[in-house]
Amino acid sequence: MVKALGKLKNWLTGKRPRPRKPVSLAPVPALLERYRQYKRLLAANSAILTMITDLQVKMNEGFLFDMHYVRNACQRLGQEVEAMVAALTAMSGGRYQGLEEARRRVEAKIVQELSGAPLQPGPLVLPLAEVKEGQFFGAKAEKLGDLVRLGLPVPRGFAISAYAQKLFFEQSGLEEYIREQIRRSHIRDLESLKEAGKDIRERVMAQELPGELSQALALHLASLGPRLAVRSSALQEDSLFSFAGQFETFLNVPREKVETSYKEVLASQFTPRVLYYCHTSGFAYQELAMGVAVMEMVAASSAGVLYTADPRQGGEATIINAVCGLGSLAVGGVVEPDIYRVENEQIVAQEVGEKTHMHLAAPEGGLLDLETPPERKGACLEESQVLTLHNLGLILERHFGMPQDIEWALSGEGKIFLLQARPLRISRQLKAEYLPPRLKGAEVLLEAGTIASRGAAAGPVFLLEDQQIQEVPQGAVLVTRRALPEYALATSRVAAMVCERGSPTSHLATVLREAGVPAIFGAKGATTGLPPGAMVTVDAYYGNIYAGKRPELLKPPPGDLVLRQSRAWKVLERVLPHITPLHLLDPRSENFRAENCTTYHDMTRFAHEKAMTELFQIFPGGAEEDGSRRLKSNLPLEIFVIDLGGGLTPEAKNLMVVKPEHLRSRPFRAYWRGVEAAGWRGPRPVDLAGFMSVVMNAATDTNIRERLHEKNFAIIAADYLNLSNRLGFHFATIESFLGSPEESYASLTFYGGGAELERRRRRVRFLSKVLQRLDFRVEVKEDSLAARIDGYDAATLEEKLEFLGRLMMISKQLDMSMLADEAVDHYYLEFFAGIGEVSSKQ
Amino acid sequence: MGRILAVDDELDMLALLKMIIEGYSDHQVTATNNPLEAVEFLGKEPFDLVLTDLKMPGMDGMELLAAARKMDEDSLVIVITAYGSLESAEEAMAQGAFDFITKPFRKEQILLAIDKAMRWREMVRQNKEMKKRLEGEKS
């Protein structure tokens, strides 16, 4: 019996047939291609994450940028995402069509945000109360509509849409004429641009308005008073139009002249600057169409502007300027207005200005410029009127969520009207923003690392070790070893984050910046230097962590309201939601699917994750003998090596048999160091039951013979290892890529064994325990195990691979001797005792 | 307080330059997207500093730089270049630009560059005055 079993054992563990002589030493083209695609994908991945970071930084850290930058960045980003998806598609043999579809959807949305909503047909004229955002009446008219709906005092009136202008220009042949004039003028000749502008303006004035527009105007005018104000309401107030020159606003227009004033407002835009712009960018209605607001004239006894904050310092104060008569002299410095300052519901300062001149409505239409009579030179406003204005200002500021710049008028009957409101441009002095790099007299706990997300916050330290990320308490400063993407699950709960590793271009950093959570990455010593539970302040402006709460750092950031009013900033703000958010946090979760990718960041994460899986399937099966050579070592291991490039020294180029010293693959060398250190040990003492189960399993498993004939293959490159390994009766695949910390990883899948299921389970539990201690993420199912480690730099991963090599050698056939549950702990302790330095390193 | 002429065919950048400079300093900015108009402005009134984009259609920043220096050899020009066109910035410096700045930039960068230029201008002015006085004393 024993003899027979021995024979059987020899058969099972014995020599496998010698390999056929390899046909060629070059790797299989398909394999090489897949690896190349993987590298291309990694390059795209890194480029994308860098570009996303750059966009976030430019947007939130006080940069001046223009539409050229935004368009360019989006275009380059789009190209990289396309390349990344294409690489994954190529690696997977055409799968992941869903990802390409998702990419196209996102791309289309970004293109749309960049070009702005196209001017759509709609009503030509609407009463102010019905004018809303998105109907192309221009910002001024839309805001007035808002004010009317809020029940605030706004003169009665209506607005003419930008579409009405388009209709007018198209029907009258003006469009054609303007294009022709632009074509004929010379970009290098200012005079010709001026002339073209003059011709266009004259032509606009000479054309009749379309019948339907003319009728609509007459209808709306019939219900209004005899004198009106006609004001331009540009679609894009802050870009082109702020440079087109002063846009005409006509005050005190008799009803019958409103059509003429309307045309004058439209004509006023064709200045040499606009024509120069049209030369380079073409003539587009999105940029060159405007709405117009027509409102009843307020016969003002005084008028002016109101700022709901101090525009120089941004402090909490209402500033009101007032002049006698109409408001046209309130700004521009021609006359010195009255200035009132209100703080805490009280007038704290009042200066009565010189007010040498005043504007009044002329009986025949237009304005009269008069010397201010002596009896009107006193203060324009009474205290109660100042406070009423102040309160109206507060209502508007609250409604629009930011300080406002408001035009107002006081009628002869003492009623206040609001004529216009827009965001106030606040400038703050630079000095107010200055924070010292290092607070005086404060205890610094840590000053290492790079800023991953700017800001400052305080909270108690929570050190993430064995807990689930979901257990992180509200308001904590989360401290971790690595910057893994799934930590983003805690973003909404943490005050700040500190990671010992990771870079500002990682997935996690992008998510934290998106959420405005301050973070410092690469903070060496954070897990040991920051006491759990202790209150700390994370200064992610200068990269310091202070003991205790430092209120001077926790003031809200000054923000750059000025920058945020630029068109480029607003467009970027609309584009970024399609780029930066990351919804696919956890590859193990149900939603980790191509069709759930709604941002470029999602796609990048998904494609990178899937690419690793696809590469893992690299084992070509069957065709592998092409390009393979035997690795000959002192150990009785038969491994065939396929070099995809840079995995072997140049001397090995033509060798059929290579030796360990020929290995150049960084991950394989690390793994091999572990293999050699552990050395070859015979199988552990096996009891009869253990061995019988091997025999029985072998007999019942129809694939066993086939499996035993599989060879061990190592597909390598300078930075890559994929080792399919069979040691004893189990199967293991070790894979690793060592590049930048963001893309480096090592993984192990392990299954099978010769012994009965319970013993195999014990071995897997042993492996799991060791791997977890080594910081691998481990998933165990029955007797199989998948473990992975990333978020570390290549040097650290080399150490891990060395352990993995050791572990694989030690655990071969260990299942046989896993007689009882206690064996798990026994071998675990033995493993680490065998390498004393491990404990200190970990 | 100084007078600055800002020239950039990108309207957003122009709008920002004007807002930032006038918001954070006491300087007054005249802005135009058309370099030809800029030359016209330079002929009409004195500016302490010209900020110009390098790449513009019709007339590029180099031409504008040359035109400005032809009108006034002491004129100060800071050129603004797109990322990655360092060579043209170097060329502009060789042609007499006072400084250059690469887009996109932080607002502090442009404000510091302007501050430096304005101080330099003041120094040159004082220097000239002193020389004149010395020469007056000699004769």
Side-chain angles (χ1 to χ4, degrees):
Chain A
M1 171 74 180
V2 175
K3 208 176 167 189
L5 281 176
K7 255 179 133 177
L8 186 57
K9 195 175 165 189
N10 278 339
W11 176 82
L12 281 167
T13 56
K15 282 187 180 147
R16 291 168 286 280
R18 296 206 62 82
R20 263 191 295 124
K21 199 182 165 196
V23 182
S24 144
L25 287 177
V28 183
L31 198 59
L32 198 56
E33 178 58 19
R34 183 140 42 154
Y35 179 70
R36 280 188 185 137
Q37 293 292 357
Y38 182 68
K39 298 279 279 191
R40 174 73 193 95
L41 187 143
L42 284 184
N45 180 61
S46 144
I48 291 164
L49 291 173
T50 306
M51 281 191 249
I52 290 179
T53 304
D54 185 59
L55 281 171
Q56 287 180 315
V57 167
K58 294 294 181 292
M59 178 155 156
N60 293 320
E61 296 183 11
F63 277 85
L64 281 80
F65 54 85
D66 48 27
M67 280 304 296
H68 180 74
Y69 164 78
V70 178
R71 282 200 199 95
N72 233 328
C74 288
Q75 195 193 352
R76 280 184 297 131
L77 188 59
Q79 283 166 351
E80 290 296 339
V81 173
E82 193 174 356
M84 191 169 187
V85 173
L88 180 65
T89 310
M91 283 181 77
S92 64
R95 282 189 291 124
Y96 303 111
Q97 280 305 312
L99 191 61
E100 174 58 16
E101 283 158 25
R103 187 193 69 76
R104 288 195 187 151
R105 282 196 296 274
V106 173
E107 187 182 51
K109 280 183 188 156
I110 290 173
V111 166
Q112 201 187 344
E113 298 289 7
L114 285 178
S115 58
L119 184 56
Q120 302 284 349
L124 303 181
V125 180
L126 281 180
L128 281 180
E130 292 174 32
V131 174
K132 288 184 185 135
E133 215 182 313
Q135 292 173 315
F136 305 102
F137 280 85
K140 196 183 285 177
E142 286 161 6
K143 262 194 135 173
L144 283 168
D146 248 6
L147 300 186
V148 175
R149 284 188 296 277
L150 281 173
L152 295 169
V154 174
R156 295 193 300 153
F158 61 86
I160 310 167
S161 70
Y163 177 66
Q165 182 195 330
K166 186 170 187 241
L167 198 72
F168 172 37
F169 279 22
E170 279 174 2
Q171 288 192 2
S172 62
L174 273 167
E175 181 174 339
E176 197 94 331
Y177 181 78
I178 292 164
R179 286 189 198 283
E180 183 57 28
Q181 289 299 312
I182 292 169
R183 232 188 337 267
R184 281 174 42 190
S185 58
H186 299 287
I187 197 164
R188 286 192 64 103
D189 180 358
L190 199 56
E191 282 310 311
S192 88
L193 291 176
K194 283 179 183 164
E195 235 162 74
K198 188 165 156 277
D199 290 347
I200 292 171
R201 284 195 299 276
E202 280 170 8
R203 182 65 78 105
V204 172
M205 294 311 295
Q207 301 302 308
E208 295 275 314
L209 292 183
E212 51 179 319
L213 177 57
S214 203
Q215 281 157 22
L217 287 178
L219 188 75
H220 282 85
L221 281 169
S223 59
L224 297 181
R227 291 302 164 88
L228 301 130
V230 179
R231 296 165 179 268
S232 61
S233 174
L235 294 187
Q236 293 181 358
E237 206 127 21
D238 275 319
S239 54
L240 182 56
F241 289 97
S242 38
F243 291 97
Q246 265 308 300
F247 275 129
E248 303 293 343
T249 284
F250 296 95
L251 296 179
N252 195 33
V253 179
R255 212 184 281 166
E256 63 279 8
K257 286 198 174 155
V258 166
E259 278 202 15
T260 310
S261 296
Y262 170 65
K263 286 194 278 190
E264 273 179 85
V265 170
L266 299 189
S268 69
Q269 59 189 309
F270 293 97
T271 61
R273 291 183 192 178
V274 167
L275 293 174
Y276 175 83
Y277 177 79
C278 289
H279 246 293
T280 57
S281 310
F283 174 82
Y285 281 106
Q286 261 108 295
E287 314 242 30
L288 283 161
M290 63 165 88
V292 170
V294 180
M295 295 154 86
E296 274 182 344
M297 200 58 202
V298 178
S301 66
S302 59
V305 293
L306 181 162
Y307 305 129
T308 66
D310 184 333
R312 289 303 288 188
Q313 279 101 40
E316 284 204 12
T318 294
I319 313 279
I320 298 168
N321 287 7
V323 292
C324 297
L326 300 175
S328 30
L329 289 175
V331 283
V334 181
V335 305
E336 199 181 289
D338 294 351
I339 301 171
Y340 306 87
R341 186 182 178 95
V342 182
E343 286 176 24
N344 301 316
E345 309 294 318
Q346 282 191 340
I347 302 175
V348 294
Q350 173 174 344
E351 280 170 43
V352 178
E354 180 83 47
K355 304 194 295 281
T356 48
H357 288 254
M358 63 188 281
H359 279 172
L360 285 180
E364 70 281 6
L367 302 181
L368 287 175
D369 191 335
L370 303 175
E371 267 187 35
T372 311
E375 70 271 16
R376 298 197 61 176
K377 283 205 167 175
C380 290
L381 296 173
E382 293 164 16
E383 188 182 345
S384 64
Q385 292 166 331
V386 171
L387 294 178
T388 307
L389 274 168
H390 160 73
N391 286 322
L392 282 170
L394 290 186
I395 295 173
L396 262 66
E397 182 176 293
R398 269 200 295 273
H399 178 71
F400 293 114
M402 60 170 78
Q404 298 290 305
D405 167 348
I406 299 160
E407 274 183 37
W408 58 270
L410 179 70
S411 75
E413 295 80 45
K415 189 174 181 210
I416 289 169
F417 287 94
L418 304 178
L419 307 178
Q420 181 184 339
R422 58 184 173 198
L424 175 65
R425 286 174 181 167
I426 297 182
S427 12
R428 289 158 199 256
Q429 296 302 319
L430 269 175
K431 289 185 194 99
E433 291 180 26
Y434 183 75
L435 269 173
R438 182 80 168 259
L439 295 181
K440 279 200 182 117
E443 186 194 349
V444 177
L445 297 174
L446 206 70
E447 52 181 335
T450 52
I451 310 302
S453 173
R454 254 160 67 106
V461 170
F462 182 86
L463 183 59
L464 187 76
E465 292 199 284
D466 301 328
Q467 316 91 324
Q468 293 288 310
I469 190 72
Q470 287 85 351
E471 293 168 27
V472 178
Q474 192 77 34
V477 169
L478 177 60
V479 179
T480 64
R481 290 210 165 76
R482 287 172 284 170
L484 299 177
E486 56 261 40
Y487 294 167
L489 288 168
T491 304
S492 60
R493 292 201 302 283
V494 299
M497 221 183 142
V498 181
C499 306
E500 287 199 328
R501 292 184 164 80
S503 88
T505 59
S506 61
H507 294 292
L508 184 61
T510 303
V511 174
L512 292 170
R513 279 191 301 271
E514 167 95 13
V517 175
I520 301 176
F521 284 8
K524 296 253 158 28
T527 56
T528 46
L530 301 176
M535 174 63 70
V536 297
T537 300
V538 178
D539 166 13
Y541 292 107
Y542 288 108
N544 297 316
I545 299 170
Y546 296 98
K549 208 176 213 168
R550 308 300 316 187
E552 59 270 56
L553 282 170
L554 301 175
K555 279 180 273 177
D560 271 304
L561 287 177
V562 178
L563 296 177
R564 288 172 190 208
Q565 282 164 27
S566 89
R567 174 158 71 125
W569 196 91
K570 287 177 185 164
V571 170
L572 186 56
E573 191 192 27
R574 284 203 303 272
V575 166
L576 277 191
H578 305 296
I579 296 176
T580 51
L582 182 62
H583 308 99
L584 273 58
L585 294 175
D586 187 355
R588 291 159 294 188
S589 111
E590 256 298 289
N591 84 335
F592 203 88
R593 302 153 80 94
E595 58 269 30
N596 291 341
C597 293
T598 54
T599 65
Y600 278 169
H601 196 182
D602 283 339
M603 281 168 215
T604 307
R605 171 105 173 91
F606 180 85
H608 185 215
E609 194 67 34
K610 290 299 169 192
M612 288 188 279
T613 323
E614 291 299 330
L615 196 62
F616 194 72
Q617 323 257 332
I618 207 164
F619 207 84
E624 69 273 9
E625 285 173 13
D626 261 2
S628 71
R629 13 168 139 228
R630 202 155 69 86
L631 175 66
K632 190 169 185 289
S633 67
N634 299 329
L635 304 173
L637 276 172
E638 196 163 47
I639 296 178
F640 290 87
V641 175
I642 298 174
D643 182 18
L644 297 175
L648 295 171
T649 56
E651 302 84 73
K653 190 170 175 254
N654 297 315
L655 297 181
M656 298 285 296
V657 177
V658 295
K659 293 182 180 163
E661 54 266 35
H662 291 127
L663 295 177
R664 273 291 166 271
S665 166
R666 201 174 165 192
F668 197 16
R669 277 161 61 98
Y671 179 81
W672 194 256
R673 278 196 296 275
V675 167
E676 284 186 329
W680 184 267
R681 285 184 232 167
R684 300 259 167 177
V686 179
D687 68 338
L688 193 60
F691 186 65
M692 274 313 289
S693 85
V694 175
V695 176
M696 294 313 291
N697 279 336
T700 53
D701 189 340
T702 49
N703 287 329
I704 194 77
R705 276 197 73 111
E706 218 172 292
R707 284 201 201 160
L708 287 176
H709 290 294
E710 282 178 16
K711 288 178 284 186
N712 300 317
F713 273 97
I715 299 168
I716 58 172
D719 44 15
Y720 180 69
L721 164 68
N722 178 303
L723 175 65
S724 297
N725 214 356
R726 192 181 55 73
L727 284 159
F729 289 88
H730 66 267
F731 299 88
T733 305
I734 292 100
E735 208 203 8
S736 175
F737 185 88
L738 299 182
S740 75
E742 298 308 321
E743 55 196 26
S744 300
Y745 65 92
S747 73
L748 165 72
T749 47
F750 186 100
Y751 67 96
E756 57 166 356
L757 182 62
E758 197 44 49
R759 297 185 189 199
R760 300 203 303 268
R761 279 188 184 148
R762 285 183 195 126
R763 175 166 62 180
V764 159
R765 286 216 302 281
F766 154 73
L767 288 173
S768 165
K769 216 169 162 176
V770 171
L771 289 166
Q772 276 178 343
R773 171 142 175 214
L774 292 172
D775 252 351
F776 279 74
R777 252 173 308 171
V778 184
E779 271 178 85
V780 171
K781 200 174 167 193
E782 293 285 341
D783 65 338
S784 68
L785 169 147
R788 200 179 130 134
I789 184 165
D790 50 22
Y792 282 112
D793 55 32
T796 310
L797 288 176
E798 278 183 309
E799 285 174 26
K800 309 283 179 186
L801 280 164
E802 200 174 323
F803 285 130
L804 207 53
R806 246 175 221 277
L807 185 63
M808 286 300 99
M809 293 306 284
I810 282 166
S811 60
K812 70 185 165 59
Q813 292 181 17
L814 202 60
D815 54 335
M816 308 256 192
S817 51
M818 287 279 187
L819 302 182
D821 282 346
E822 292 77 54
V824 172
D825 283 340
H826 171 78
Y827 286 123
Y828 170 77
L829 292 173
E830 191 184 272
F831 179 79
F832 284 109
I835 353 163
E837 71 274 23
V838 181
S839 317
S840 57
K841 268 185 191 171
Q842 291 304 306
Chain B
M1 198 197 97
R3 290 178 48 78
I4 297 174
L5 177 63
V7 193
D8 196 323
D9 63 315
E10 274 282 344
L11 294 158
D12 311 286
M13 186 49 77
L14 202 53
L16 274 174
L17 280 172
K18 188 173 163 68
M19 280 197 280
I20 289 292
I21 297 169
E22 291 186 345
Y24 288 86
S25 73
D26 293 327
H27 308 307
Q28 284 295 314
V29 178
T30 303
T32 176
N33 64 333
N34 185 341
L36 296 167
E37 198 182 26
V39 177
E40 202 181 63
F41 280 139
L42 285 172
K44 275 189 204 155
E45 46 190 314
F47 286 93
D48 298 301
L49 175 65
V50 178
L51 289 177
T52 179
D53 189 19
L54 261 191
K55 217 179 130 213
M56 294 178 290
M59 178 189 217
D60 67 21
M62 290 297 234
E63 282 179 83
L64 181 58
L65 171 66
R69 301 209 28 109
K70 203 173 151 192
M71 278 186 235
D72 173 8
E73 56 171 7
D74 289 335
S75 68
L76 291 181
V77 179
I78 297 179
V79 296
I80 302 173
T81 65
Y83 175 74
S85 51
L86 215 58
E87 285 161 17
S88 48
E90 284 163 2
E91 172 67 17
M93 295 294 283
Q95 298 297 320
F98 177 74
D99 205 349
F100 72 91
I101 188 160
T102 310
K103 285 201 260 191
F105 45 83
R106 276 211 171 85
K107 67 174 192 299
E108 287 79 1
Q109 284 173 275
I110 188 76
L111 292 170
L112 289 173
I114 289 170
D115 200 43
K116 194 168 78 176
M118 291 300 189
R119 274 187 286 142
W120 172 261
R121 187 167 185 82
E122 183 55 22
M123 249 163 55
V124 170
R125 194 189 60 76
Q126 284 177 1
N127 199 351
K128 276 198 169 168
E129 220 166 73
M130 251 155 41
K131 261 192 195 157
K132 215 189 255 173
R133 214 184 300 156
L134 278 175
E135 274 161 20
E137 278 169 16
K138 268 187 213 158
S139 60

